[in-house]
């Protein structure tokens, strides 16, 4: 009987450790989100833009779009898209490689096509967004000295790659997937 209790305790302990590590692995990336992203998300992997059937991968600041039947990535959209990224609707998707299931997402989010009523980060007065270098309220952000404020965990924004031209690190997805 003691062995059964001990085994059960060990299994429950392992289960708790797995849940804790899963929660730790999901970090905030507010400072990496573009000014044209929708408000309300502490962590974003991809934005899906139903108007143009394209994705934006936040960690590498790359757009993913179909080109002759193949998904390609680039730091900016082709000019032929003529897309107003600040006014088009964006859906947050935190699944890996969502463009590999493009048919699913195309159908699921078709209802957002043409919508223009989304509040974006650039227009938000929420303090947490001030850490983004080009945000209009960035000068009010106290986190850039590392002390943090209001639970922002002292996020430091080094200013690298928060430009709307898509420049930034090349880590993450590389090439075609």
């Amino acid at each position: 009987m003691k062995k059964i209790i001990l085994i059960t305790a060990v299994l429950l302990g392992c289960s708790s450790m797995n849940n804790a590590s899963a929660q730790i692995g999901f970090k905030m990336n507010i400072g990496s989100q573009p000014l044209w992203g929708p408000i309300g998300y502490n962590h974003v992997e991809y934005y899906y833009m139903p108007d143009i059937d394209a994705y934006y991968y936040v960690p590498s600041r790359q757009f993913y779009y179909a080109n002759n039947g193949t998904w390609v990535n680039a730091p900016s959209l082709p000019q032929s898209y003529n897309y107003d990224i600040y006014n088009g609707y964006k859906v947050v998707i935190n699944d890996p490689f969502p463009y590999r299931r493009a048919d699913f997402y195309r159908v699921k989010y078709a209802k957002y096509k043409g919508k223009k009523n989304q509040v974006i980060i650039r227009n938000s007065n929420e303090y947490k967004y001030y850490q983004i270098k080009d945000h209009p309220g960035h000068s009010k952000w106290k986190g850039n000295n590392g002390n943090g404020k209001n639970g922002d965990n002292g996020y430091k924004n080094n200013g690298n790659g928060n430009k709307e031209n898509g420049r930034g690190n090349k880590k993450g997805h590389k090439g075609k997937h």
Side-chain angles (χ1 to χ4, degrees):
M1 182 70 173
K2 289 182 181 179
K3 288 182 181 180
I4 293 173
I5 293 172
L6 181 60
I7 292 171
T8 303
V10 169
L11 291 174
L12 288 174
C14 290
S15 173
S16 297
M17 287 175 28
N18 286 340
N19 288 340
S21 65
Q23 290 174 358
I24 291 169
F26 192 72
K27 297 179 181 179
M28 294 190 337
N29 67 348
I30 294 170
S32 299
Q33 295 175 35
L35 290 175
W36 47 262
I39 64 167
Y41 301 92
N42 290 335
H43 180 83
V44 176
E45 289 293 315
Y46 286 92
Y47 294 114
Y48 172 60
M49 294 156 273
D51 292 333
I52 57 173
D53 193 32
Y55 300 84
Y56 180 80
Y57 184 53
V58 172
S60 66
R61 295 173 178 88
Q62 295 281 307
F63 289 91
Y64 285 78
Y65 55 91
N67 184 12
N68 295 323
T70 303
W71 287 95
V72 297
N73 64 311
S76 60
L77 290 167
Q79 289 206 342
S80 61
Y81 275 69
N82 195 27
Y83 179 65
D84 182 354
I85 201 149
Y86 283 88
N87 289 314
Y89 202 89
K90 279 80 62 185
V91 179
V92 171
I93 299 176
N94 286 326
D95 291 338
F97 312 109
Y99 46 87
R100 291 181 179 173
R101 296 180 14 168
D103 291 339
F104 170 78
Y105 290 112
R106 201 174 290 124
V107 170
K108 183 174 181 175
Y109 297 117
K111 63 186 173 192
Y112 295 107
K113 210 170 190 174
K115 288 196 178 248
K116 307 281 185 212
N117 60 344
Q118 193 172 45
V119 179
I120 60 171
I121 291 170
R122 177 187 65 187
N123 299 339
S124 173
N125 289 323
E126 288 185 65
Y127 180 79
K128 67 182 180 180
Y129 296 117
Y130 291 178
Q131 68 183 284
I132 300 171
K133 180 180 164 275
D134 293 327
H135 189 283
H138 183 68
S139 63
K140 298 175 188 172
W141 182 56
K142 305 292 186 216
N144 54 13
N145 64 11
N147 295 329
K149 180 180 173 186
N150 297 336
D152 68 2
N153 297 323
Y155 265 87
K156 289 187 88 170
N157 183 344
N158 62 12
N160 293 332
N162 282 330
K163 302 280 186 228
E164 296 309 317
N165 64 8
R167 285 184 293 153
N169 69 50
K170 300 290 182 188
K171 293 178 185 173
H173 297 281
K174 293 182 180 176
K176 299 176 185 175
H177 291 277

